[in-house]
Amino acid sequence: MAHRHRENRAAFRGLREPEEQRPVPGAHHRAAHSTVTETHVITTSGLTKVYRSRGREVTALDGVDLHVREGEVYGVIGQSGAGKSSLIRCVNLLERPTAGTVTVAGQDLTALAGRGPRAGRELRQARSRIGMVFQHFNLLSSRTVQDNVELPLEILGKSGKERSRKALELLDLVGLADKAKAYPAQLSGGQKQRVGIARALAGDPKVLLSDEATSALDPETTRSILQLLRDLNRQLGLTVLLITHEMDVVKSVCDSAALMDRGRIVESGTVGELLATPGSELAAALFPVGGEASGDDRTVLDVTFHGEAATQPVISQLSRTYNIDISILGAAIDTVGGLQVGRMRIELPGRYEDNVVPVGFLREQGLQIDVVDERPDEPAALAPLVKEGAK
Amino acid sequence: MTWSQMQPLLEQASWETLIMVGWSTLIAVVLGLPLGVLLVLTDRGGLLQNVLVNKVIGQVVNIGRSMPFIILMVALMSFTRWVTGTTIGSEAAIVPLAIGGIPFFARLVETAVREVDGGLVEAVQSMGGNTWTVVRKVLVPEALPSLIASTTTTVIALIGYSAMAGTVGGGGLGDLAVRYGYQRFEPGFMWITVALLAVAISLIQFAGDYAARTLHRRGGRGGAGPRLRLLKTKEPAAADVSKVA
């Protein structure tokens, strides 16, 4: 699905087409207009959040170290209860971490927090430079769309003229210039989220936090909102940290991803790295291939190819070189996080011990080989997510 | 009694009721609103969580609410004299009426403000807003339709109280009904006052409901001028939906 986005992009009003280059099959075409730098703009270290209620303690975050690079879209995925929401709310200190530090754009927010539950002046100023969008939009029903977008500017103390200029500009950016005088209740879910995004951008933030922003939307609207986030990321160099329980979200917009389970980050890295990590749960979930072995003494391999390797006729080479019959159980080529990736599940005759040499040959060709041994279909942490992604 | 005899009395009494209810409502709203908001803010998990303050205000409000108005009026006499210099007349009646109205309105405000979605508060916090911003830009405006309905309820309750205030020299329509209608056996007078009160209350309720509904509808669906819209297009909602897609 993700590859469809390129064609859709021009459809969004007010968003100029970035200089599009014809993507070379298999090449990392993302690099062409990537804004990612190596500077970490959001860093959490040892972030821990323990909720105490009626004498019981619940650990929502258990020593989370997160590094989000400037200009990237970073997705945190996990089941509900994994701690994603606590994590994102700790980043702008809507939730006070029990231990650990949060640094955003070089500023240690945990140091600004102070002791009391109320946010001090400095923390509030820092928050105004971090945009946030919410699952349920959180627009004020008593205000028009334009007034909603002006709200953060009112808090920043901008003049009326400046507020309305900026608000209209932002509404134009998200394609809702004609809805400025409407009330939120008159908008569809997708339009409401666009208003939410425009509002989040009003303070010219470097960082946008997205708390399940698409989870209340239908798949089509989800795609258009994700596309908008992607475009804003590219055009404004905006760093986006998003949390989601939908694998498709990570697949279509994220440069990097982390998998959370029971308050810990289980896996993390750029999408490319994850796909290149043998046995990565995230990679398998991002790009599943199916197919069952046809008999007992067969070797089933998952072959992942991206980059140069994708253009080589490796399978027929393998077949000719070793004179073996190869069955293809499943195969797909997809764009994952802007990378073209192919994955194929093949079956070789004989047990793994008999196929060490052919497997070595494939690895030499620069392919990533995962041997599929009767493992359960999906790893435990991700099983429900994958099901949802498949819908 | 003839109508010409009744008329000046009725006019005078209506005016007195209006003064008593008007002022006491104003005071009840001005003081009850912050009290009600404070009840929500200081509650457990609130922005200004403070169990002690919450308990104290809660208790004061409860005592004020549970005290029968006629007793409150008598109990407050020395305070009333200290404020207005007298304990009889409409002016003096305003004091106990306002004090009775404050906790009444405060509880209604508390309920209305609690209904406001916590996500909106969070959104404003994430923009860097402080507690005062949250109150001013979120809690009060978002609860406005309910607050108007609460004001209507308070006005009507205060009209009821004002009749009691009348019996101890506050004047007003209630007083008139008791003195002429009951004590002087003028049932005609009684019925006229009852009818006047009934009409007044209906009008207030209608106006309050209309205002609350108009504000709510703005947030609900129709837009600023729901009536005009209905004249222009038959089904504005449907038209919106088609544009949305």
Side-chain angles (χ1 to χ4, degrees):
Chain A
M1 286 300 150
H3 53 276
R4 279 187 47 195
H5 289 162
R6 271 196 307 278
E7 286 92 54
N8 285 348
R9 180 171 295 143
F12 294 100
R13 297 190 44 224
L15 289 174
R16 256 145 313 185
E17 184 83 357
E19 283 166 48
E20 190 66 68
Q21 301 177 354
R22 191 88 203 115
V24 183
H28 295 207
H29 68 268
R30 152 156 311 173
H33 29 233
S34 172
T35 50
V36 184
T37 73
E38 286 309 310
T39 322
H40 288 152
V41 68
I42 302 175
T43 305
T44 74
S45 57
L47 200 63
T48 302
K49 176 74 191 180
V50 181
Y51 293 101
R52 288 184 183 84
S53 72
R54 298 198 195 103
R56 282 194 312 138
E57 290 197 349
V58 181
T59 307
L61 296 175
D62 189 2
V64 172
D65 296 316
L66 191 73
H67 301 281
V68 181
R69 292 171 303 158
E70 189 176 27
E72 75 176 337
V73 179
Y74 195 108
V76 176
I77 188 163
Q79 293 177 33
S80 51
K84 312 174 303 262
S85 219
S86 299
L87 174 62
I88 202 162
R89 291 149 52 83
C90 275
V91 170
N92 62 0
L93 261 70
L94 280 179
E95 205 88 74
R96 295 297 166 98
T98 315
T101 58
V102 176
T103 311
V104 178
Q107 201 172 20
D108 182 355
L109 298 189
T110 30
L112 299 180
R115 289 193 164 268
R118 288 167 63 194
R121 198 154 194 255
E122 283 175 313
L123 176 58
R124 281 187 274 115
Q125 273 173 359
R127 275 184 187 158
S128 69
R129 292 189 292 270
I130 303 172
M132 190 165 187
V133 285
F134 302 87
Q135 179 175 7
H136 298 295
F137 326 122
N138 293 349
L139 302 176
L140 300 188
S141 63
S142 56
R143 285 172 169 242
T144 62
V145 163
Q146 182 181 345
D147 289 346
N148 263 290
V149 179
E150 285 189 20
L151 182 57
L153 298 165
E154 286 171 26
I155 292 171
L156 287 171
K158 302 280 194 231
S159 72
K161 213 181 217 174
E162 203 179 337
R163 290 202 305 262
S164 102
R165 183 189 56 77
K166 180 86 185 176
L168 292 173
E169 194 182 296
L170 286 166
L171 285 174
D172 193 43
L173 185 69
V174 299
L176 282 180
D178 55 331
K179 294 282 182 192
K181 298 289 174 233
Y183 282 92
Q186 296 165 290
L187 305 181
S188 69
Q191 290 173 325
K192 283 182 196 168
Q193 197 54 289
R194 280 165 188 271
V195 178
I197 292 170
R199 181 178 70 175
L201 294 177
D204 290 322
K206 291 296 290 169
V207 173
L208 186 70
L209 307 177
S210 160
D211 184 0
E212 299 270 9
T214 58
S215 300
L217 304 173
D218 61 68
E220 191 63 38
T221 317
T222 293
R223 273 194 287 277
S224 80
I225 291 293
L226 291 176
Q227 184 59 44
L228 175 65
L229 286 177
R230 192 70 181 133
D231 288 337
L232 293 170
N233 159 257
R234 293 272 174 80
Q235 287 177 24
L236 310 174
L238 190 68
T239 307
V240 181
L241 173 62
L242 61 85
I243 64 163
T244 183
H245 63 272
E246 295 166 312
M247 196 50 79
D248 277 347
V249 170
V250 175
K251 193 167 170 175
S252 54
V253 295
C254 293
D255 298 291
S256 299
L259 171 63
M260 271 194 98
D261 188 34
R262 273 167 261 159
R264 290 165 185 273
I265 288 189
V266 188
E267 273 182 33
S268 67
T270 65
V271 169
E273 281 164 10
L274 289 169
L275 288 172
T277 308
S280 159
E281 283 186 37
L282 257 179
L286 280 170
F287 197 171
V289 273
E292 297 286 316
S294 58
D296 270 346
D297 58 341
R298 297 275 193 272
T299 304
V300 178
L301 303 175
D302 273 350
V303 184
T304 307
F305 38 93
H306 35 80
E308 281 301 301
T311 55
Q312 304 296 319
V314 279
I315 300 301
S316 54
Q317 280 172 12
L318 176 72
S319 184
R320 255 182 286 132
T321 315
Y322 296 97
N323 194 23
I324 46 176
D325 295 323
I326 300 165
S327 343
I328 296 174
L329 301 173
I333 288 192
D334 206 341
T335 310
V336 179
L339 294 170
Q340 276 221 332
V341 183
R343 199 167 246 202
M344 190 184 281
R345 180 166 285 193
I346 59 173
E347 190 185 53
L348 309 179
R351 300 189 167 279
Y352 179 68
E353 293 78 38
D354 310 326
N355 284 308
V356 176
V357 180
V359 170
F361 168 82
L362 288 172
R363 290 203 168 121
E364 259 170 46
Q365 306 301 308
L367 296 175
Q368 181 194 323
I369 308 298
D370 289 305
V371 181
V372 184
D373 48 1
E374 304 306 313
R375 59 173 183 175
D377 249 358
E378 296 302 338
L382 275 167
L385 300 173
V386 173
K387 252 179 246 153
E388 257 176 277
K391 266 193 269 183
Chain B
M1 257 178 127
T2 61
W3 174 248
S4 56
Q5 284 171 300
M6 283 197 254
Q7 201 189 0
L9 286 169
L10 281 169
E11 270 173 20
Q12 166 79 9
S14 302
W15 183 244
E16 281 166 358
T17 297
L18 191 69
I19 295 280
M20 283 192 290
V21 173
W23 279 107
S24 54
T25 303
L26 188 70
I27 297 168
V29 167
V30 167
L31 297 181
L33 181 65
L35 217 55
V37 172
L38 216 54
L39 273 172
V40 178
L41 292 180
T42 55
D43 198 9
R44 214 176 287 278
L47 292 177
L48 301 175
Q49 181 174 333
N50 188 326
V51 178
L52 186 71
V53 172
N54 188 264
K55 281 259 162 5
V56 170
I57 301 178
Q59 273 308 316
V60 170
V61 165
N62 277 345
I63 292 169
R65 289 269 282 125
S66 58
M67 182 131 20
F69 180 69
I70 197 139
I71 298 181
L72 183 77
M73 207 160 49
V74 177
L76 283 174
M77 276 203 171
S78 52
F79 178 70
T80 307
R81 185 176 293 122
W82 180 71
V83 176
T84 61
T86 173
T87 56
I88 49 171
S90 326
E91 263 173 61
I94 290 170
V95 177
L97 280 175
I99 287 177
I102 291 167
F104 186 87
F105 188 65
R107 275 285 179 230
L108 295 176
V109 169
E110 186 195 0
T111 320
V113 170
R114 261 187 221 291
E115 296 285 304
V116 175
D117 181 4
L120 301 178
V121 174
E122 207 165 70
V124 169
Q125 285 182 307
S126 79
M127 296 167 198
N130 58 20
T131 307
W132 177 232
T133 317
V134 169
V135 171
R136 221 161 25 112
K137 310 264 180 193
V138 181
L139 297 182
V140 173
E142 287 293 305
L144 202 56
S146 309
L147 290 178
I148 287 177
S150 307
T151 310
T152 314
T153 311
T154 307
V155 171
I156 290 171
L158 285 175
I159 290 177
Y161 289 172
S162 80
M164 270 187 262
T167 60
V168 295
L173 285 169
D175 173 44
L176 204 65
V178 172
R179 274 196 294 138
Y180 285 78
Y182 177 67
Q183 289 162 346
R184 289 194 183 185
F185 297 103
E186 296 264 8
F189 224 118
M190 172 86 88
W191 290 121
I192 288 173
T193 11
V194 169
L196 261 179
L197 283 172
V199 169
I201 287 171
S202 306
L203 280 177
I204 289 163
Q205 187 71 55
F206 177 78
D209 285 353
Y210 181 79
R213 218 178 318 120
T214 308
L215 277 177
H216 195 73
R217 190 174 297 159
R218 185 180 70 177
R221 55 201 155 86
R227 308 234 141 171
L228 285 172
R229 248 176 198 246
L230 281 174
L231 290 176
K232 268 193 221 158
T233 52
K234 250 189 182 171
E235 202 50 84
D240 274 0
V241 169
S242 65
K243 250 186 268 169
V244 160

